[in-house]
Amino acid sequence: MAAGKVYLVGAGPGDPGLLTLRARRLLAAADAVVFDRLLSPRLLGFVSSRAVCYYAGKAPGAHEMEQEDIHALLISLARAGKTVVRLKGGDPFVFGRGGEEALALTAAGVAWEVVPGVTSAVAVPAYAGIPVTHRDISPAFTVVTGHACSQAGGVDWEGLARTGGTIVVMMGMAHLGEIAARLVAAGRPPGTPVAVIRWGTRAAQEVLRAELGTVAAEVAKRRLRSPAVVVIGEVARLGEVLAWAQARPLFGRRVLVVGDVADEAADAADVLEALGAEVYDWTLAGCSHPLSVSPLWAAMEIVSPSGAAPGFAAEPPAPGVIAMAVAKGERVLWWPSPLAVDLWFAAWREAGRDVRQLAGWRLAAAEPRVAVRLSSYGIVADDVAPHPPAGAVWVPLAVAKPDMVRLLAWWQAQAEGVGDARPARPPFARAGGGCSFDAVWVLSDAAWMVLTGTAAAAGHRLTAVRLLARDAWVVNRLRAAGADAQWAPDADAVAARLTEPEEPQAWPSEVAMGT
């Protein structure tokens, strides 16, 4: 068995756009991913469906896995020949215990590499408009942990106070009062500007501006808790002038994109993120398991001159079953979604078929976006028709996997830390949870119905201020199902809709699901 390898990978501070290119490539190639708390779930979308993900998050006072258990897991996976990504918030070697993990791997004789990430110590202040250095204000900065403020051999706060420059405190919320008092006692003026940035780079980002002498009282008054980065020094004043992130039109908004296929949803999510939104994407492709190729091969035989259509239903399949329609008499293949196109042609290739065998058949798409998907396979759709021909039979291609919806609920609960692996028991496998969004942008009504249906089965509830759809026909279908959907053809329209007052809607509900 070939030896495995562990990559200690920095995921950045929370905004998925700050992930490095090398980190993304490694996630796609990994056999196993051991990931931390405070990461964007979009990062797991870069992981191959064949990989297993293990949650190793740590919240204050609640550790899903102890550090020694994480070491043992990494070593075990590598010795089993796996390519392992240890995905850590920020940078692995900046208060991320990456050094401890590297030493454990070295002692065990396991090969490893480190992939630096964008550290929260610099990125979080930057998202609050605070440069940690400035030629005229602060020529240096010091990054320290406040986690062990009172421990012997910890930070020399008195010496740090005399050093000058900017002080960036990580994990210091529990001891902020003591830290401030020791800095003031050592000579830092009580009027020194301080910025406390909670959930930096995320939709929930909030900034408290205070002075060193009063910051602890202000934090208590606002009831701010971790995760937060504290910036102490004159540069903290610049955030009032340079607050660029808050100026983006969708800053602070949480948007869920629901679609059929990953690239379509990712493209939509990227545009929304550029406008400042924190985006989550859910796709049928990400939770679908292709069926045995046997029924597909049988369907392919329909295409042959002597083929028949044994065992296929004339009625459309239930939600959660991805299918396509075949009309033998009229010689038409009809695809209802981009995912159906992908699944069909994946099986077609696996069966060793040649696209020229489709000569003489009309290839039809239910919607223009399905026709676009066909074009990616070098095929120009003969027709765009909303319904299959009369007499067509339905060929099942895949079924959706309900448990994946729990990953969204885990994000909302933020590391309550239930669960240890995907797909067996994804994080936050507890029923009765929920997700809250400012908007849900639906690219596929079929995907939306599956999502709400699987949420109901898992005991979860989705709440959003706006239910939006990119295409007019999707709006009509959602409204026909009783949902109060609105048309938003692009990201700018999403932003415009979110400025309008509206009461939140919740799903699943009987009307929203059309049951």
Side-chain angles (χ1 to χ4, degrees):
M1 178 187 297
K5 190 170 186 176
V6 176
Y7 294 88
L8 306 174
V9 176
D15 183 341
L18 299 181
L19 187 74
T20 65
L21 289 174
R22 178 158 170 74
R24 181 166 179 170
R25 293 190 189 109
L26 287 171
L27 285 173
D31 300 309
V33 177
V34 181
F35 66 101
D36 274 351
R37 178 181 175 239
L38 308 183
L39 302 181
S40 167
R42 285 201 70 199
L43 302 186
L44 296 184
F46 303 140
V47 179
S48 168
S49 59
R50 62 178 172 77
V52 178
C53 297
Y54 300 86
Y55 177 59
K58 297 177 181 178
H63 292 185
E64 181 67 20
M65 296 178 66
E66 297 300 330
Q67 191 62 42
E68 293 74 16
D69 295 329
I70 296 173
H71 295 169
L73 176 62
L74 296 176
I75 293 167
S76 173
L77 290 170
R79 286 177 173 170
K82 307 294 185 182
T83 297
V84 185
V85 168
R86 173 69 173 109
L87 192 61
K88 306 174 72 66
D91 182 276
F93 280 8
V94 180
F95 303 132
R97 306 191 75 168
E100 297 173 47
E101 293 172 6
L103 287 171
L105 293 168
T106 299
V110 172
W112 62 274
E113 291 184 18
V114 65
V115 180
V118 177
T119 175
S120 301
V122 175
V124 168
Y127 269 59
I130 301 172
V132 292
T133 64
H134 186 284
R135 185 174 64 176
D136 299 327
I137 299 174
S138 177
F141 71 100
T142 304
V143 183
V144 296
T145 173
H147 188 64
C149 177
S150 302
Q151 294 180 5
V155 177
D156 179 5
W157 296 102
E158 288 71 22
L160 190 57
R162 294 189 294 270
T163 300
T166 304
I167 302 173
V168 179
V169 183
M170 313 282 287
M171 301 175 288
M173 294 297 281
H175 302 284
L176 186 55
E178 182 182 353
I179 292 169
R182 291 178 66 172
L183 289 173
V184 170
R188 278 285 174 117
T192 301
V194 178
V196 180
I197 309 149
R198 185 167 186 263
W199 287 118
T201 79
R202 298 271 297 277
Q205 175 177 307
E206 57 181 318
V207 181
L208 181 148
R209 307 185 194 283
E211 296 180 346
L212 191 58
T214 61
V215 65
E218 291 295 327
V219 164
K221 182 179 178 181
R222 288 265 293 269
R223 298 183 178 180
L224 292 185
R225 298 179 292 110
S226 63
V229 174
V230 181
V231 181
I232 303 169
E234 291 298 321
V235 293
R237 298 188 194 275
L238 297 178
E240 300 178 37
V241 180
L242 304 178
W244 63 273
Q246 294 92 315
R248 295 182 294 176
L250 290 181
F251 173 78
R253 304 289 193 168
R254 293 159 50 91
V255 181
L256 170 65
V257 176
V258 179
D260 281 323
V261 289
D263 55 351
E264 181 184 42
D267 289 345
D270 289 344
V271 176
L272 291 171
E273 282 182 345
L275 296 177
E278 183 173 303
V279 187
Y280 318 86
D281 49 1
W282 189 92
T283 64
L284 279 178
C287 71
S288 294
H289 285 219
L291 298 172
S292 165
V293 296
S294 297
L296 290 176
W297 286 347
M300 291 172 194
E301 290 304 317
I302 301 175
V303 177
S304 67
S306 59
F312 294 123
E315 296 298 322
V321 177
I322 297 91
M324 62 174 292
V326 179
K328 173 69 175 177
E330 298 187 33
R331 299 179 64 78
V332 174
L333 299 178
W334 181 87
W335 288 272
S337 68
L339 178 56
V341 173
D342 288 348
L343 290 167
W344 168 268
F345 281 101
W348 187 265
R349 285 194 299 266
E350 186 175 345
R353 298 297 183 112
D354 189 319
V355 72
R356 289 173 293 185
Q357 291 176 264
L358 297 176
W361 283 74
R362 296 188 64 79
L363 309 181
E367 304 169 358
R369 67 192 182 103
V370 182
V372 171
R373 201 66 173 188
L374 284 170
S375 70
S376 70
Y377 291 90
I379 294 172
V380 178
D382 295 298
D383 297 298
V384 177
H387 304 290
V393 294
W394 288 87
V395 178
L397 305 172
V399 292
K401 182 175 180 293
D403 281 350
M404 292 307 293
V405 72
R406 296 175 184 171
L407 194 57
L408 291 171
W410 160 70
W411 179 253
Q412 173 70 8
Q414 197 44 246
E416 290 199 13
V418 181
D420 53 6
R422 193 195 74 186
R425 192 159 67 94
F428 197 73
R430 181 180 306 161
C435 307
S436 177
F437 301 97
D438 294 290
V440 178
W441 196 21
V442 180
L443 312 183
S444 161
D445 59 312
W448 172 245
M449 294 301 179
V450 170
L451 176 59
T452 53
T454 51
H460 296 293
R461 194 169 185 84
L462 301 175
T463 304
V465 175
R466 293 280 180 179
L467 178 61
L468 308 173
R470 185 186 59 184
D471 299 306
W473 55 86
V474 176
V475 173
N476 293 336
R477 291 171 186 168
L478 292 175
R479 287 178 177 174
D484 185 16
Q486 297 174 306
W487 185 39
D490 53 33
D492 289 333
V494 172
R497 290 293 190 186
L498 284 173
T499 63
E500 303 170 359
E502 183 70 24
E503 291 297 321
Q505 302 181 58
W507 305 276
S509 68
E510 291 185 0
V511 292
M513 294 174 60
T515 58

